[in-house]
């Protein structure tokens, strides 16, 4: 029943908002050429999908991972990078999704992370109110071309090619806060071919999700549709073609990919 057209209209309005064009674009004015596809994430328990605006990621947010990356977790303020929204790879609950080994790297790493999705935005959000902005959560992988990330870091160049490439953000469907609550503690783990590799507790984060939102909102105005990767525990490691990664966060369904 006209589903394609409705999606197109919703998509155009979203693209306009993202560009700061406001509501004017739907009525008159220039025709939009080559409208990019809207990236969406399914929402469990509804027929709705969540439209992604930006993907923010915090770096070095668990003490042991910070140390293994060569930082001092007691002194470093939080820092963030972005992935493009079309880096999302939607992974269904119960499937093992094929994930392509990317070009250019010989050291492709997994990073299992809690992902928060925002339903509201703003600037300078106090951390006490920050969780009111969260729509839901899921399990995500911040896939990383570690060799390229580290080489660029050494040369004081941007991380883009190591972190922000196509398909670098596999994630499960969103679970609404009203269904699963907030995540301030609980087990997080990643297994490769049945062997546990990363294992930690969400309470070990240096900066909580609320603090991340507060910090981000000082640097960027946040909007509905923004999602935040909240950092990975230690023991990140390389994957090979054929490996099956199983990601777990207590209170959410497992998320799994196979490197192909
Ligand atoms: Mn990460």
């Amino acid at each position: 029943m006209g589903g394609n057209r409705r999606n197109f209209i919703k998509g155009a309005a979203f693209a306009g908002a993202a560009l700061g064009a406001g509501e004017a674009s739907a009525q008159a004015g220039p025709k939009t050429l080559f409208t990019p596809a809207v990236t969406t994430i399914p929402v469990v328990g509804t027929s709705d999908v969540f439209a992604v605006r930006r993907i923010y990621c915090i770096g070095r947010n668990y003490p042991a991972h910070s140390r293994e990356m060569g930082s001092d977790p007691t002194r470093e303020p939080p820092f963030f990078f972005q992935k493009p929204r079309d880096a999302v790879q939607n992974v269904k609950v119960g499937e093992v999704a094929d994930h392509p080994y990317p070009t250019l790297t010989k050291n492709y790493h997994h990073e299992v992370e809690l992902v928060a999705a925002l339903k509201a935005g703003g600037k300078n959000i106090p951390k006490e109110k920050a969780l009111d902005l969260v729509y839901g959560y899921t399990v995500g992988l911040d896939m990383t071309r570690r060799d390229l990330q580290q080489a660029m870091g050494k040369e004081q160049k941007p991380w883009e090619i190591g972190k922000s490439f196509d398909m670098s953000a596999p994630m499960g469907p969103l679970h609404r806060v009203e269904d699963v609550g907030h995540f301030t503690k609980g087990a997080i783990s990643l297994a490769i071919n049945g062997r546990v590799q990363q294992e930690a507790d969400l309470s070990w984060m240096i900066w909580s999700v609320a603090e991340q939102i507060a910090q981000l909102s000082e640097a960027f105005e946040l909007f509905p549709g923004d999602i935040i990767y909240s950092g990975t525990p230690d023991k990140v490691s390389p994957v090979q073609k054929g490996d099956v990664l199983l990601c777990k966060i207590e209170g959410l369904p497992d998320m799994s990919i196979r490197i192909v």
Side-chain angles (χ1 to χ4, degrees):
M1 40 184 263
N4 285 341
R5 176 153 175 80
R6 270 183 44 186
N7 285 342
F8 174 77
I9 291 168
K10 276 158 68 180
F14 180 77
L19 294 168
E23 292 158 18
S25 60
Q27 292 297 326
K31 181 174 71 170
T32 303
L33 301 177
F34 317 123
T35 305
V38 179
T39 297
T40 59
I41 306 171
V43 179
V44 170
T46 81
S47 57
D48 297 335
V49 293
F50 180 95
V52 180
R53 175 180 175 267
R54 288 186 183 172
I55 305 174
Y56 293 105
C57 309
I58 189 170
R60 298 174 194 170
N61 196 34
Y62 288 76
H65 175 62
S66 182
R67 274 182 231 111
E68 77 182 354
M69 290 288 113
S71 295
D72 178 349
T74 62
R75 281 187 301 172
E76 196 171 88
F79 68 95
F80 298 91
F81 59 92
Q82 291 185 42
K83 291 175 183 277
R85 65 168 170 251
D86 64 354
V88 170
Q89 179 184 11
N90 283 302
V91 180
K92 296 187 179 86
V93 173
E95 80 166 329
V96 181
D98 283 351
H99 177 87
Y101 195 101
T103 59
L104 302 180
T105 183
K106 293 186 168 62
N107 194 17
Y108 191 41
H109 276 207
H110 56 77
E111 297 190 357
V112 63
E113 309 198 6
L114 174 69
V115 174
L118 303 190
K119 65 180 178 185
K123 297 178 185 174
N124 301 315
I125 311 290
K127 75 176 177 192
E128 295 75 21
K129 299 204 165 162
L131 290 184
D132 295 345
L133 273 54
V134 179
Y135 175 75
Y137 294 92
T138 191
V139 183
L141 277 163
D142 166 14
M143 296 304 291
T144 302
R145 289 160 160 160
R146 190 74 67 203
D147 43 0
L148 299 183
Q149 180 204 15
Q150 292 182 331
M152 298 302 270
K154 274 183 197 135
E155 295 176 26
Q156 300 190 307
K157 289 175 179 167
W159 274 6
E160 210 84 5
I161 201 166
K163 283 289 196 182
S164 309
F165 51 92
D166 300 344
M167 305 280 279
S168 61
M171 67 181 74
L174 286 178
H175 293 260
R176 296 174 297 181
V177 167
E178 63 205 79
D179 297 328
V180 296
H182 291 288
F183 289 79
T184 54
K185 59 181 165 54
I188 178 171
S189 69
L190 176 143
I192 305 178
N193 305 325
R195 176 180 49 80
V196 175
Q197 175 66 28
Q198 292 188 276
E199 197 170 24
D201 194 279
L202 297 172
S203 64
W204 300 353
M205 285 184 195
I206 298 170
W207 304 93
S208 67
V209 171
E211 289 169 327
Q212 292 174 50
I213 291 168
Q215 291 270 354
L216 264 175
S217 74
E218 292 180 9
F220 307 94
E221 182 171 2
L222 299 175
F223 286 89
D226 290 344
I227 67 178
I228 303 170
Y229 271 76
S230 62
T232 196
D234 63 327
K235 297 194 172 67
V236 298
S237 75
V239 298
Q240 312 298 337
K241 285 185 183 177
D243 285 347
V244 172
L245 311 187
L246 178 62
C247 304
K248 289 178 176 284
I249 290 178
E250 195 178 337
L252 292 171
D254 299 348
M255 191 271 284
S256 188
I257 62 170
R258 177 186 292 104
I259 311 298
V260 297

